[in-house]
Amino acid sequence: WALGPGWVAAAYTLRSRAWPCSLGSYVRPLGIGEGMERAGRCTALLLGGALLTLAQYEKYSWRSFPEADLVPLDSAYSYSLQQFTAGNWRESIGYLELSLRLYRLLRESQAHCRSECPLPAAAPQQPASNFSELRAFAQILPRAMCLRRCKHSLPVFKLPYPDKETLEQLDDRIPYRYLESAYFQLHKLEKSIAAAHTFLQRNPKDAAMQKKMNYYKTIPDIETYLVDVEAREHEALFLKAVKAYNSGDFRSSVTEMEHAVPEYYRAHQDCLGGCEDSCDVTDFKDFYPSIAAHYVEALKCKVKCEQNLTPNVGGFFVEKFVATMYHYLQFAYYKLNDIKNAVSCVATYMLFDPHDEIMQQNLVYYRFYREKWGLGEEDFEPRADAQLYHNVTRLQIQWLEFADSFLQSDDEMEVSEEPVADGQEVTSDAEFEGMGDYEESIVADWWQVPKQKGDIDDASD
């Protein structure tokens, strides 16, 4: 399944399987009218949060969290499951919702401290490398002290840190599976449906919940209750942009998508930072093996961030999501005759799929008319934030593959004696010093190619 634009322009051919809102069969590419209707239905499914909000976030604020609710997350979640097993539905719901609030409080408090304590700028490199280790710790220690002060000032960090298993269950939205059943037992159908939908947004292949949702879909006006309570801002903005695109409102589509892009990068940064907040120490090792083991654990978490932030539309995750946003932008800018921005979005898209022949032809088309549109070589450069995101995420994957291949699982984590093959590039992270972190993965299965020199309707001048 692919999430494609809703209509075809004269100068482009779109290979699209359309945008499904259900789990039904393939449908043909959408025309303008069909695209508007389907976009409206799909957007109602993902943007219905204003119509219904589950109780756990109605009065939530991480800055003014009730002191009486500050209990260990492990204890609250464990107690909620005990009450669920005993059939005490109201008690179970209360503590499941409390667990979700505590989890959000922990995440947002962590993000606050990370924003308050960024890594200091790298010191200028000295000719002698005798003190390289000290210079590295000169970067780390000030931030460690800042984080310590920040966390001492926030009440959530005075509680025992949750177990890894508990955090994984909350991250996978497992509490919503229990909430769906408990609400159903209490005949609170609207909240049961919202809980089921929220769970399926992260777990679309769960057969048991799909069966329940098929039952719920027989209820009239179910769209009112199909709310993803945990939806992030970039997901809502992306859906608004797609809706505007399919209705032919390219100006609004560009506005919404240009907000979605930085929101995604911010959410990705928060996700990366969350991977640095805990580490399971199961044994004692020498200094450097301990550092390597901790870093690899964090790296495994970080490479999953883009997958965890990918929107689910109609039961299917958007493929190559970051690239998809730039694909929409490049075509919307083209329709607005803003060629400079269109070209930069094409170049940015090519970062994530450099071998796509259709987009390569688009780039050739823009280069052919570069003088007509006053384009310089700098206009064909990818956007800086996307370049950084692409480079760092690629480097993270490379380092994780290296760790999986050459770091052994014995107590000392000895490095394999296997030599590096001739001509094999040695990865360096020098280009990323002082630049921060980012990450990526997911686009549509449809493409656009100019069949002639420009779009007769839009670019004839």
Side-chain angles (χ1 to χ4, degrees), residues 78-277:
S78 176
Y79 181 74
S80 72
L81 300 187
Q82 291 173 12
Q83 295 306 302
F84 182 89
T85 302
N88 298 327
W89 310 121
R90 295 185 189 278
E91 187 80 354
S92 177
I93 287 171
Y95 277 87
L96 283 167
E97 292 178 345
L98 175 58
S99 299
L100 289 162
R101 291 197 302 275
L102 287 166
Y103 180 54
R104 178 173 287 194
L105 174 67
L106 177 63
R107 290 201 330 258
E108 294 185 357
S109 298
Q110 290 169 339
H112 168 74
C113 286
R114 287 191 299 272
S115 67
E116 292 292 306
C117 305
L119 275 171
Q125 188 71 22
Q126 302 296 324
S129 59
N130 295 346
F131 305 106
S132 58
E133 184 177 284
L134 291 177
R135 282 197 297 271
F137 276 94
Q139 297 288 303
I140 295 171
L141 291 178
R143 191 187 191 204
M145 291 186 292
C146 177
L147 287 170
R148 193 175 201 178
R149 285 194 301 269
C150 180
K151 291 187 175 184
H152 274 308
S153 69
L154 298 176
V156 70
F157 295 113
K158 297 176 183 178
L159 302 172
Y161 199 83
D163 290 340
K164 182 179 180 180
E165 183 180 352
T166 300
L167 294 175
E168 288 176 348
Q169 290 215 11
L170 286 157
D171 190 55
D172 291 336
R173 304 188 182 184
I174 302 302
Y176 287 98
R177 174 188 285 162
Y178 297 106
L179 281 170
E180 182 275 332
S181 295
Y183 280 128
F184 187 83
Q185 294 293 332
L186 296 177
H187 307 292
K188 295 185 177 181
L189 203 57
E190 71 284 357
K191 291 189 175 182
S192 179
I193 293 171
H197 180 71
T198 301
F199 177 80
L200 284 172
Q201 288 301 102
R202 177 58 64 86
N203 307 278
K205 295 183 179 180
D206 187 278
M209 194 63 79
Q210 282 182 358
K211 186 176 181 180
K212 292 182 178 182
M213 184 56 75
N214 288 337
Y215 163 73
Y216 289 138
K217 286 179 180 177
T218 64
I219 300 172
D221 300 322
I222 185 180
E223 288 83 3
T224 305
Y225 310 122
L226 290 173
V227 180
D228 182 1
V229 182
E230 300 289 349
R232 295 176 174 87
E233 185 66 20
H234 70 273
E235 299 177 63
L237 290 168
F238 174 74
L239 264 294
K240 288 179 183 178
V242 172
K243 181 183 178 182
Y245 184 103
N246 286 346
S247 67
D249 185 358
F250 299 111
R251 182 71 61 190
S252 295
S253 179
V254 162
T255 299
E256 299 293 350
M257 199 69 82
E258 288 287 18
H259 283 99
V261 169
E263 275 297 323
Y264 171 82
Y265 288 145
R266 184 194 61 76
H268 194 270
Q269 282 286 74
D270 288 344
C271 179
L272 295 181
C275 295
E276 300 170 356
D277 278 291

Side-chain angles (χ1 to χ4, degrees), residues 33-64:
E34 295 170 298
M36 292 173 65
E37 179 183 359
R38 188 177 293 272
R41 293 200 304 269
C42 289
T43 305
L45 298 187
L46 276 87
L47 304 182
L51 303 177
L52 176 70
T53 304
L54 290 187
Q56 69 265 23
Y57 299 134
E58 285 178 356
K59 298 180 180 180
Y60 169 83
S61 170
W62 77 271
R63 291 185 179 274
S64 57

